[in-house]
Amino acid sequence: METIYSLLEKYQKKRKAFYSSSEYIFFLENREALAKNSRFSFLYDSDDDDFGVMRANIIIYSYLNKKKMDVEINSFKKELKKGNDVDINALRKALKDSLPHLYHLQENNAKIYIPFFPRALNSLYINNPEKLVVPPYDALMSSFSRSMIDPFDTYGYHLYNSSFTRLVLVKEAPSKKEAAFFHYDTNTIYFINDEGRLDNKLVLFDKYLSKKNTSHILERISGVIDAYFNFDRTKMIDELRDNKFISGRMMALIRKTMEYSDDI
């Protein structure tokens, strides 16, 4: 039995294809990084899943961030091996100078650049990088799989409210266990839970609409999101129709589906 969500995705209006976007191209060009670690290798095959690509890119950006930071740390390590005098403050400065160019999650007063590492290791990279050239932390330069965590479990939906993705946080649920995000290229609302997983996605603008109106879209989807969080299916559909996100024909298809389904 189809749901409202699957119907809207099935009958979506033709739009700029996500699969020709910079996000998708980046994924294809860099996804070999995912094959290097069994923990995230399942994201390698996210070709036909827009949200899967977004999750995969978070991991890829994390790998690239770590790689760039490791360059500075390894340069420091080489000088130590040569017996040269080294300036710890110079290492810290070189590392921090590279940080503005890296993707990150802002978490209170801290920034997370490598979300597949716990907060303590992220802090170590930024504040005490000199410790990474001596045991036991030097192992993080090459063999770090044992130190990896699930970033989606750890940072929840907050991970998507960062420069790691192009999603826009619209609203958190009153329970704080879920949040709604919008993506301008896909014209889709993504409902992401506090375990960093997708609960549902609501594709706007069906193919029967004569015109796609994207003006003030964040304000217009607010009522749709509120109804979703309140488990009010009827109100959510009314909001979709009133704000011209679905056509009359789509409304009829949804109502017909509702007669046979208890799903929201």
Side-chain angles (χ1 to χ4, degrees):
M1 178 64 66
E2 287 191 291
T3 65
I4 294 168
Y5 309 102
S6 62
L7 276 173
L8 290 174
E9 186 167 17
K10 181 179 179 180
Y11 291 100
Q12 64 184 278
K13 196 174 189 69
K14 187 176 181 180
R15 64 199 69 204
K16 177 184 176 182
F18 178 78
Y19 302 104
S20 62
S21 69
S22 59
E23 286 173 275
Y24 190 71
I25 293 169
F26 173 84
F27 165 72
L28 292 180
E29 291 177 345
N30 295 278
R31 66 173 173 174
E32 290 304 320
L34 299 167
K36 296 177 182 179
N37 190 285
S38 59
R39 185 157 197 165
F40 301 112
S41 59
F42 70 96
L43 291 169
Y44 184 94
D45 295 316
S46 298
D47 307 57
D48 59 351
D49 176 11
D50 53 357
F51 186 70
V53 168
M54 295 175 202
R55 295 181 76 208
N57 283 349
I58 290 173
I59 302 301
I60 296 169
Y61 283 131
S62 301
Y63 273 115
L64 295 179
N65 282 356
K66 181 183 181 300
K67 187 175 180 179
K68 290 174 183 176
M69 296 166 83
D70 286 351
V71 168
E72 298 294 342
I73 294 166
N74 280 322
S75 294
F76 179 82
K77 186 175 182 178
K78 287 178 182 178
E79 293 302 313
L80 278 179
K81 284 185 175 181
K82 292 176 182 177
N84 296 333
D85 291 331
V86 291
D87 185 347
I88 291 175
N89 289 327
L91 168 62
R92 292 178 180 176
K93 183 180 184 304
L95 196 57
K96 288 189 176 182
D97 284 346
S98 69
L99 297 181
H101 307 290
L102 304 183
Y103 296 91
H104 66 276
L105 163 67
Q106 183 73 48
E107 192 178 60
N108 298 319
N109 294 323
K111 290 182 178 179
I112 305 297
Y113 293 92
I114 313 174
F116 58 65
F117 278 170
R119 292 174 177 87
L121 287 184
N122 272 274
S123 177
L124 190 71
Y125 257 86
I126 299 168
N127 299 309
N128 301 104
E130 68 279 359
K131 292 184 177 181
L132 291 161
V133 301
V134 294
Y137 298 114
D138 59 339
L140 294 172
M141 295 295 100
S142 55
S143 178
F144 51 88
S145 59
R146 290 185 180 180
S147 299
M148 298 176 81
I149 59 170
D150 185 320
F152 307 106
D153 279 339
T154 303
Y155 301 104
Y157 60 74
H158 301 286
L159 185 54
Y160 301 88
N161 183 29
S162 69
S163 60
F164 286 112
T165 79
R166 295 180 64 185
L167 290 167
V168 178
L169 174 64
V170 183
K171 191 172 293 190
E172 293 178 304
S175 65
K176 302 297 183 183
K177 292 185 178 297
E178 190 176 19
F181 292 80
F182 184 73
H183 194 291
Y184 281 95
D185 285 347
T186 64
N187 288 323
T188 299
I189 305 170
Y190 298 86
F191 295 98
I192 305 173
N193 61 38
D194 59 358
E195 294 179 348
R197 270 66 177 181
L198 183 69
D199 280 343
N200 282 301
K201 69 176 184 179
L202 199 56
V203 182
L204 307 180
F205 308 119
D206 62 86
K207 68 180 183 179
Y208 303 119
L209 272 172
S210 58
K211 184 179 180 182
K212 183 171 70 174
N213 180 5
T214 59
S215 66
H216 306 290
I217 198 164
L218 295 184
E219 293 108 355
R220 289 164 54 216
I221 62 176
S222 180
V224 176
I225 293 168
D226 286 339
Y228 175 91
F229 286 151
N230 289 325
F231 305 100
D232 191 336
R233 177 173 58 176
T234 301
K235 176 66 173 174
M236 185 182 79
I237 296 167
D238 288 342
E239 288 285 342
L240 286 169
R241 178 66 176 133
D242 292 345
N243 285 281
K244 299 180 173 56
F245 295 128
I246 59 175
S247 64
R249 186 170 176 180
M250 193 72 235
M251 184 79 153
L253 281 170
I254 290 172
R255 283 176 172 165
K256 185 176 181 180
T257 300
M258 287 173 65
E259 294 177 6
Y260 305 100
S261 174
D262 292 328
D263 292 335
I264 190 171

